Amino acid sequence: MTVKISVKEELGISKLFEVKESNKNIRKTWKFQKDMVSVEIDSTKREKAQKEKEAARKIAIDAGEEVESSDDDDDIEAYEQSIDKMLAIQDKMIAYISDMLNLPDKLSEKLDDLDYEKTQELAMRISSEILHIKTEKASEKETGLEA
């Protein structure tokens, strides 16, 4: 079986790309999904640790304790690792799209001209279609962003 994927909006090409639902492509898709989730988990953990650190710092200040600057080497190193992971996932995302659609070099280069959000949406759409997963936008309540 194959799925047909349109990239007219993203790359301006009206041709539908056929992607085989082979074990090879399914594995690539699960690997891509795992990489995306890993970055999200790392980001969430880093944010949680930062909030806990800030809360402990505030408690110490409120208790009249002397506290050092919050810019320590661990924070800087964690931030640098986070940037490295984001750069890697961006490269993996572009490679995934290019590989799954079997894009020629000229079209693969066009992916670099897309904005990050559109690139991410395209990669997620490809993976969703291959896995036959229906995607829907989460509400603010579902994401925890509700005021």
Side-chain angles (χ1 to χ4, degrees):
M1 288 183 69
T2 62
V3 293
K4 294 181 180 180
I5 299 175
S6 170
V7 293
K8 185 173 184 174
E9 181 183 330
E10 296 86 0
L11 300 177
I13 299 164
S14 54
K15 169 190 167 191
L16 291 176
F17 289 86
E18 286 193 35
V19 180
K20 289 182 182 178
E21 296 177 65
S22 64
N23 286 317
K24 179 181 173 183
N25 285 341
I26 299 292
R27 270 193 306 278
K28 287 178 188 178
T29 299
W30 284 122
K31 173 74 172 112
F32 171 70
Q33 289 287 327
K34 182 180 176 186
D35 289 342
M36 293 294 288
V37 167
S38 177
V39 167
E40 189 64 33
I41 289 169
D42 287 348
S43 175
T44 301
K45 284 180 180 179
R46 191 183 70 255
E47 287 174 17
K48 182 180 177 184
Q50 185 65 31
K51 285 180 183 178
E52 288 171 356
K53 195 174 193 177
E54 288 173 12
R57 181 176 160 77
K58 183 177 180 337
I59 290 169
I61 289 171
D62 290 347
E65 297 175 23
E66 190 173 315
V67 293
E68 294 183 23
S69 170
S70 63
D71 292 337
D72 62 13
D73 290 340
D74 289 341
D75 289 342
I76 293 168
E77 198 171 299
Y79 185 66
E80 184 178 15
Q81 288 173 352
S82 176
I83 290 173
D84 287 342
K85 286 183 180 193
M86 290 305 296
L87 286 168
I89 199 66
Q90 192 169 12
D91 289 340
K92 287 177 181 181
M93 197 178 335
I94 290 169
Y96 173 77
I97 294 168
S98 182
D99 187 35
M100 295 305 285
L101 300 179
N102 198 22
L103 295 177
D105 290 344
K106 281 199 175 218
L107 287 179
S108 290
E109 290 173 13
K110 278 185 140 183
L111 292 172
D112 272 331
D113 293 332
L114 290 179
D115 68 41
Y116 180 80
E117 191 172 305
K118 280 214 181 287
T119 306
Q120 186 176 23
E121 287 172 4
L122 176 57
M124 296 308 290
R125 184 163 50 87
I126 292 169
S127 67
S128 295
E129 289 187 30
I130 288 172
L131 297 173
H132 298 279
I133 297 171
K134 184 180 175 190
T135 59
E136 295 179 12
K137 289 272 187 191
S139 69
E140 286 187 1
K141 183 176 182 179
E142 292 169 324
T143 62
L145 299 175
E146 184 177 57

